[in-house]
Amino acid sequence: MDITEETLVANRDYTRRFTFGNLAMPPSRHLAVLACMDARLTVEQLLGLKTGEAHIIRNAGGLATEDALRSLIISHHLLGTKEFIIINHTDCGMLTFKDEELKRRLVKQTGKEAETPLHFHAFTDLERNVREQVQKVKSHPWLPGNIPVRGFIYDVKTGKLEEVHTTTAEPAARR
Amino acid sequence: MDITEETLVANRDYTRRFTFGNLAMPPSRHLAVLACMDARLTVEQLLGLKTGEAHIIRNAGGLATEDALRSLIISHHLLGTKEFIIINHTDCGMLTFKDEELKRRLVKQTGKEAETPLHFHAFTDLERNVREQVQKVKSHPWLPGNIPVRGFIYDVKTGKLEEVHTTTAEPAARR
C-alpha cells in the first residue's frame, strides 16, 4: 500500500473521532503562522494550537514570498487575524544549496527549462533571513504597520523556539 | 497576555515532552502535502501523520502557485519525496470574494497600491480548482510526470477527505 492510501485509512479513523464540525471559518485565536514546510515542525503542536485556532502558512524556508504575503493579506483582511508569527529552524534544507546550482542541475536532469519558479530563495544566514521575512511582512503596503509580527528560530534538536529580535537597528554595512 | 506569548508558554511545555531530536531532514514517509491554510485543517492529524514524516506546504486555498511549486521541487529533488497530496476544503474563504473587489477594497482602505501580490487567486468551483492544481503540478517541467499527485476535498463538517478524480478527460467546452 502506498503512503497516500495509508493516509486515507488514517483519515477514516480521524472522521470517527471528529468533533470539529461546528468551527467557524475565522481562526478563533486571530493568529496566523508562517513556517517552513520541514517535516520536523508540527507547527500546531509546537505552539500548543488546536484545530480552528490559527491560519498555518508553510513553504520551503518559511519565507515571506509573494504567495505568503497573499495568504497573510487574506488572513488579516478577510478572516480577522491580528498577530503573525514567523518560524524558521536550525538544520534547514534551504541552507544546503545555491539557487544557481539547483537550477543547473534541474535543467541538466530534466532537459527542460522552466518559466517558474524564478528563484528558489536559498539562504546562508538563518537569523538574518528571519529578520528579512519579518521586515517584508511589516513593510507591505496592504498589511498594517502596527500588526505584531515576531520571528523565531525553532531548534530541531530541542523543540525550543528562540526569538530573533528585530528592534535593534542594524548598521547598513552589516546588511 | 497576547496570543504569541501564550504560544511561547505552550512551546516551553512542548520542549519538556520533546522526543524528536534525532529525526533526519528528509521526510521519513517520502510524502509532501499541499493544503489550504484554513484553521480547521490540522493537516498532520487528519492524515494520521507524525512529526518527521511529511513536508507540509500551505497557503490560502491550497494552490499550486509558483511558490508552492518551488517548495514541491525542493521537496522532491533535494529531500526525496515521492508522492504528493493536494487538499482543498468545503467552506473555503477563497470562494467568498472576487480578486478585483478585494484589490479595490485594499487600495481604498490603505490608500496604497501594492506591486505584489499580483493575484489573490479566488475561485468559484472547488472541484475544478482541485483538478487544476493537480494538473499544474503534474505538468511542471521540473517535476516527474509519473509522480503520484492526488487531489482531495476535505469536508470541514465531517473531517472526511473525498478524492477528486482527474483521469476522465473533461471536454474542452466545460473548462
Side-chain angles (χ1 to χ4, degrees):
Chain A
M1 187 160 62
D2 63 22
I3 305 300
T4 304
E5 286 300 326
E6 290 176 6
T7 65
L8 295 180
V9 172
N11 177 253
R12 285 200 286 279
D13 187 49
Y14 179 75
T15 61
R16 283 192 283 272
R17 295 171 283 113
F18 186 77
T19 56
F20 303 115
N22 290 320
L23 293 177
M25 189 190 296
S28 63
R29 291 175 82 182
H30 311 292
L31 174 70
V33 182
L34 168 59
C36 185
M37 69 177 178
D38 193 284
R40 294 165 292 180
L41 278 66
T42 302
V43 175
E44 292 90 333
Q45 277 182 22
L46 71 89
L47 292 172
L49 295 168
K50 295 192 185 72
T51 301
E53 294 188 338
H55 281 146
I56 313 288
I57 300 155
R58 301 180 65 174
N59 61 30
L63 306 181
T65 55
E66 170 175 340
D67 194 47
L69 291 165
R70 174 185 73 88
S71 299
L72 288 171
I73 292 165
I74 290 168
S75 174
H76 173 71
H77 287 281
L78 296 182
L79 292 161
T81 57
K82 294 170 185 163
E83 291 178 47
F84 296 159
I85 292 175
I86 298 177
I87 303 176
N88 288 193
H89 63 94
T90 59
D91 196 38
C92 185
M94 301 298 288
L95 295 159
T96 65
F97 70 98
K98 301 267 180 271
D99 269 39
E100 284 310 315
E101 283 169 17
L102 178 57
K103 276 193 199 179
R104 273 197 299 274
R105 174 180 149 185
L106 291 170
V107 171
K108 190 173 172 186
Q109 193 170 325
T110 65
K112 296 173 196 161
E113 299 279 345
E115 288 175 28
T116 61
L118 293 173
H119 302 285
F120 285 102
H121 301 302
F123 53 84
T124 56
D125 184 325
L126 193 54
E127 281 196 32
R128 179 182 297 184
N129 191 65
V130 172
R131 281 193 201 96
E132 287 174 357
Q133 309 319 309
V134 170
Q135 192 51 38
K136 275 192 189 178
V137 173
K138 278 186 172 288
S139 62
H140 194 282
W142 286 346
L143 288 169
N146 60 356
I147 199 166
V149 186
R150 289 168 65 181
F152 298 88
I153 292 172
Y154 177 77
D155 186 329
V156 296
K157 294 289 178 208
T158 66
K160 195 173 177 205
L161 286 171
E162 287 284 356
E163 187 154 14
V164 178
H165 293 283
T166 54
T167 47
T168 313
E170 280 188 281
R174 283 188 54 203
R175 296 189 63 88
Chain B
M1 185 159 64
D2 64 23
I3 304 300
T4 303
E5 286 300 327
E6 291 174 9
T7 66
L8 295 179
V9 172
N11 178 253
R12 285 199 287 278
D13 188 48
Y14 179 75
T15 61
R16 282 192 284 271
R17 295 171 285 113
F18 187 76
T19 56
F20 304 114
N22 290 321
L23 293 178
M25 190 190 294
S28 62
R29 292 176 82 183
H30 310 292
L31 174 70
V33 182
L34 168 60
C36 185
M37 70 177 178
D38 193 284
R40 294 164 293 181
L41 278 65
T42 302
V43 175
E44 291 90 334
Q45 277 180 24
L46 71 90
L47 292 171
L49 296 168
K50 296 192 186 72
T51 301
E53 294 188 339
H55 281 146
I56 313 286
I57 300 155
R58 300 180 65 175
N59 61 30
L63 306 181
T65 55
E66 170 175 343
D67 194 46
L69 291 164
R70 175 185 72 88
S71 299
L72 288 171
I73 292 165
I74 290 168
S75 174
H76 172 71
H77 286 282
L78 297 182
L79 292 160
T81 56
K82 293 169 187 165
E83 290 179 48
F84 296 159
I85 292 175
I86 299 178
I87 303 176
N88 287 194
H89 63 94
T90 59
D91 197 38
C92 185
M94 300 298 288
L95 295 159
T96 66
F97 70 97
K98 300 268 178 274
D99 270 39
E100 283 309 314
E101 284 170 17
L102 178 56
K103 276 193 197 178
R104 274 197 299 274
R105 174 180 148 185
L106 291 170
V107 170
K108 191 172 171 186
Q109 193 171 324
T110 64
K112 296 173 195 160
E113 299 280 345
E115 286 174 31
T116 61
L118 291 174
H119 302 286
F120 284 102
H121 301 301
F123 53 84
T124 55
D125 183 325
L126 193 54
E127 281 196 31
R128 179 180 298 182
N129 191 66
V130 172
R131 281 194 201 97
E132 287 174 357
Q133 309 319 308
V134 170
Q135 193 50 39
K136 275 191 190 178
V137 173
K138 279 186 171 290
S139 62
H140 194 283
W142 285 346
L143 289 169
N146 61 355
I147 198 166
V149 186
R150 290 169 64 181
F152 298 89
I153 293 173
Y154 177 78
D155 186 330
V156 297
K157 294 289 180 208
T158 66
K160 194 172 178 207
L161 286 171
E162 287 284 356
E163 186 153 15
V164 178
H165 292 283
T166 54
T167 46
T168 313
E170 280 188 281
R174 283 188 53 202
R175 296 191 64 87

